[in-house]
Amino acid sequence: MSRGPRIKDWVKWYIREQALRNRAEPRDLVAERIEEYLADKEPVSHDTLLKMISSARNSNDPEDKPWSVSAIADSDIAPSALPIVMNAWAKGVIEDAPISIRQAKWVARLSSIYDGKTHTSLEWLIVKASEYANREKAIKAVGTYPARPQDMHWLWFCDALLYLDARDKDIDVAKRLMAKFGILYENKGGTK
């Protein structure tokens, strides 16, 4: 029985990350959005996308359970990051969207670039932590971290956006990063 072409790892990471981004969004809509993005890069059949989206969403990982201070015993959250993680947890609980253990770890990891005074608000930190949590889960599910620079472009693009948001004082570096990934820089948010 013949199989289709092998799907590149970066495409697998991208599909899984998109599948995890909004679990409430119907699979078909996610698949259509992914198909549109991949159409001129690495096309993947609609049926394959649906299977991959289901697989990503149905995985059972202990780090996807809701976070509690008790989870610190089994995680790498530094005590100094606990106040900001608790703020993210409280916001999530109040909004009926509690953060997962994986998200809490990313809030802690990214907390050093959070200052609470500028555009790096708590909401921004939670969004970025969720994005990186989904990215981490997608990479782990594929089973390989990119080894070649050409496979890093999607990850570097995401890092460039984080750098732009967190380090807007270094505007020249941000502009060069955006140019490297084909993005026209016009203002703090950048435009394509």
Side-chain angles (χ1 to χ4, degrees), residues 3-122:
R3 291 182 172 219
R6 184 180 181 279
I7 299 172
K8 293 182 178 177
D9 287 342
W10 78 265
V11 175
K12 292 177 188 175
W13 303 321
Y14 179 78
I15 293 167
R16 292 186 76 84
E17 186 177 344
Q18 293 299 309
L20 297 170
R21 179 169 286 182
N22 183 357
R23 290 174 175 259
E25 187 177 10
R27 286 182 326 151
D28 279 321
L29 291 178
V30 175
E32 287 172 17
R33 189 175 63 245
I34 294 170
E35 279 178 307
E36 186 176 313
Y37 176 77
L38 294 175
D40 60 344
K41 297 168 188 67
E42 296 286 331
V44 178
S45 77
H46 191 76
D47 288 341
T48 299
L49 286 173
L50 291 175
K51 288 176 188 172
M52 292 178 76
I53 292 166
S54 291
S55 172
R57 289 180 173 180
N58 292 331
S59 67
N60 190 9
D61 188 324
E63 289 199 354
D64 293 330
K65 293 179 180 174
W67 182 82
S68 160
V69 174
S70 300
I72 288 179
D74 294 323
S75 64
D76 59 356
I77 296 175
S80 60
L82 187 56
I84 193 68
V85 174
M86 290 189 74
N87 286 344
W89 165 81
K91 182 171 180 32
V93 169
I94 289 168
E95 295 176 359
D96 292 325
I99 61 173
S100 68
I101 295 170
R102 186 184 319 275
Q103 288 170 314
K105 287 180 176 183
W106 278 102
V107 166
R109 292 169 183 151
L110 297 176
S111 67
S112 64
I113 59 175
Y114 167 79
D115 64 18
K117 298 175 192 155
T118 63
H119 64 282
T120 54
S121 66
L122 182 60

